[in-house]
Every structure is written in structure tokens, then in C-alpha cells.
């Protein structure tokens, strides 16, 4: 389903984030990418979400070269994936409900259906009853759950998460790991990065390790 073919990413100034990376991920797999800070983990996800484009090589999904998508097609592509980056980008002047509603508002979902989807997504991540809460009223773990709800409200078949348990205590981190396992068990293809490979060891039989931009 997902294929990286000899993907290299170099940034201005000469820094190479990824070097000739080859990866194949089957539909319905859960893959965990580990590595040190600066290993290229975040870049990997950004290339798949087409937030950045490779310097060399191709990123394919279902046989389509998404790294060559035209600018006008990018919003439609990004609506088909769930993306959770380290910068949560929550809207602190809007309620939990409105934060999760945002992707559906952009894609012009009918209001009644959109409201049902938002409520279902909040319930799915354990935030039922917190619809009116502002993000500042939520704990760090709850804010991460809110970010996840926003990522899944469009019911994506691919879910990307960059260090989703970073800065959480052990109990919250295990809860978040359980959430990703449940998404995968429901058939969602999950690709996530983490500095704590042990946390996901029992959930993801396949792990990849990056070091200085190359797969180990």
C-alpha cells in the first residue's frame, strides 16, 4: 500500500535527513519507526503527507506517486489520511468539539452528519462529555486525545503519528498506545514514530530503525 523507493531528502545547506530509504508497508499493518533525535523520523511522515517532497526517489500509496501530486490535489490527499504531528496545533480559542469539527468544516460535510462524526470521534478517544471544554482545561494526555480525535474524524485508512506519546507520563502513554492498537485492529494502516520503541513492542510486530537518515 505504502512504498518508499530510494527516497532521499536534502535540505538547503546540505543537511541530508533521509538517504536512499526503501520501505514497503502493507494495507492494515502497524509499523513503528524508532531512532534518535534528528534521525529523519519526522521527515519520513512529512514526505508521506506531502508536507515536503523528496529530493530523489518516490513515495507511492496504492501505486500512485503522491510525491508528484500537483498543489491543487494536496488538500484532497491530506483529507484521506490522519496526521498527528508533535506540534498539536490545537485552536485554544475554540472548544474541543469545534477543534474536531474543523476538518469537516473545511471539507463541507453536512452539519448534522459532521456533528455525529465529531461526537463519535470524541467518544472513541475517551473524551465523551468534554465537548464544551476548552483545550486549556484539558490535561496533556487529554489534549493529545483531542488531537487524535481530530485526525480520525474523517475516518482515514492511513494514520500517521509523530511521537504521539512524547512528554506524557507512563499511564497516559500506555493509554495512547492502546488507542493506536485499537485503530489498527479496526483495519487502519498505522505508521508512527517514537523514541520509546518498548512502549509499542507488544502492539506492532514490525519495527524500523533510522539512524542519521538511513534504515538500519
Amino acid at each position: 500500500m505504502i512504498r518508499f523507493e530510494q527516497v532521499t531528502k536534502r535540505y538547503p545547506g546540505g543537511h541530508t535527513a533521509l538517504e536512499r530509504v526503501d520501505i514497503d508497508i502493507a494495507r492494515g499493518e502497524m509499523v513503528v519507526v524508532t531512532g534518535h533525535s534528528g534521525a529523519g523520523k519526522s521527515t519520513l511522515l512529512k514526505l508521506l503527507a506531502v508536507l515536503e517532497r523528496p529530493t530523489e526517489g518516490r513515495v507511492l500509496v496504492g501505486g500512485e506517486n503522491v510525491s508528484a501530486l500537483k498543489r491543487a490535489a494536496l488538500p484532497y490527499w491530506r483529507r484521506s489520511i490522519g496526521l498527528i504531528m508533535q506540534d498539536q496545533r490545537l485552536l485554544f480559542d475554540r472548544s474541543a468539539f469545534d477543534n474536531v469539527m474543523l476538518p469537516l468544516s473545511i471539507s463541507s460535510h453536512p452539519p448534522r452528519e459532521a456533528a455525529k462524526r465529531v461526537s463519535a470521534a470524541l467518544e472513541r478517544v475517551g473524551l465523551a462529555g468534554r465537548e464544551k471544554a476548552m483545550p486549556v482545561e484539558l490535561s496533556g494526555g487529554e489534549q493529545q486525545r483531542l488531537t487524535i480525535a481530530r485526525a480520525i474524524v474523517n475516518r482515514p485508512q492511513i494514520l500517521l503519528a509523530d511521537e504521539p506519546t512524547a512528554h506524557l507520563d507512563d499511564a497516559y502513554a500506555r493509554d495512547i498506545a492502546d488507542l493506536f492498537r485499537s485503530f489498527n485492529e479496526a483495519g487502519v494502516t498505522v505508521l508512527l514514530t517514537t523514541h520509546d520503541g518498548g512502549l509499542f513492542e507488544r502492539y506492532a510486530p514490525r519495527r524500523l530503525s533510522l539512524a542519521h537518515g538511513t534504515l538500519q
Side-chain angles (χ1 to χ4, degrees):
M1 182 185 191
I2 299 171
R3 183 179 180 88
F4 284 71
E5 292 184 344
Q6 290 287 288
V7 170
T8 294
K9 176 62 179 180
R10 298 189 189 92
Y11 290 101
H15 172 63
T16 299
L18 294 173
E19 181 72 33
R20 296 184 180 179
V21 169
D22 286 310
I23 300 174
D24 280 291
I25 299 173
R27 186 182 301 275
E29 265 198 293
M30 180 171 177
V31 178
V32 173
V33 182
T34 62
H36 58 83
S37 178
K41 304 188 301 297
S42 297
T43 300
L44 196 74
L45 298 189
K46 288 177 181 177
L47 291 173
L48 186 51
V50 201
L51 297 172
E52 297 181 358
R53 298 182 189 262
T55 308
E56 299 172 12
R58 303 192 302 168
V59 180
L60 299 102
V61 178
E64 181 179 11
N65 183 8
V66 297
S67 52
L69 287 174
K70 294 182 179 179
R71 185 180 297 274
L74 293 182
Y76 300 98
W77 164 241
R78 291 175 187 145
R79 289 173 199 164
S80 70
I81 61 176
L83 180 62
I84 303 154
M85 302 303 290
Q86 291 188 51
D87 177 5
Q88 296 174 335
R89 299 185 181 180
L90 294 174
L91 302 176
F92 282 82
D93 61 341
R94 301 191 189 185
S95 67
F97 186 94
D98 289 339
N99 266 274
V100 180
M101 176 65 80
L102 184 61
L104 300 180
S105 299
I106 293 172
S107 56
S108 300
H109 270 70
R112 183 173 296 180
E113 178 191 347
K116 289 181 180 179
R117 284 199 178 198
V118 171
S119 295
L122 287 168
E123 182 176 2
R124 187 75 173 80
V125 301
L127 289 178
R130 304 302 306 274
E131 291 89 347
K132 295 181 180 179
M134 304 299 283
V136 72
E137 299 175 304
L138 303 176
S139 68
E142 288 173 329
Q143 287 183 13
Q144 186 67 303
R145 288 172 180 269
L146 181 58
T147 304
I148 294 169
R150 187 176 59 189
I152 66 167
V153 73
N154 267 323
R155 301 173 184 171
Q157 289 302 301
I158 299 174
L159 186 58
L160 311 176
D162 191 13
E163 298 277 8
T165 59
H167 314 303
L168 299 180
D169 63 31
D170 289 345
Y172 270 129
R174 286 193 298 271
D175 287 346
I176 296 300
D178 285 341
L179 269 178
F180 282 101
R181 177 186 62 174
S182 69
F183 296 142
N184 181 240
E185 289 175 344
V188 178
T189 304
V190 178
L191 177 62
L192 63 86
T193 72
T194 181
H195 65 284
D196 184 4
L199 178 64
F200 292 91
E201 190 168 4
R202 63 192 174 113
Y203 301 146
R206 185 170 173 210
R207 294 169 59 188
L208 304 174
S209 178
L210 277 171
H212 306 291
T214 61
L215 282 174
Q216 304 302 294

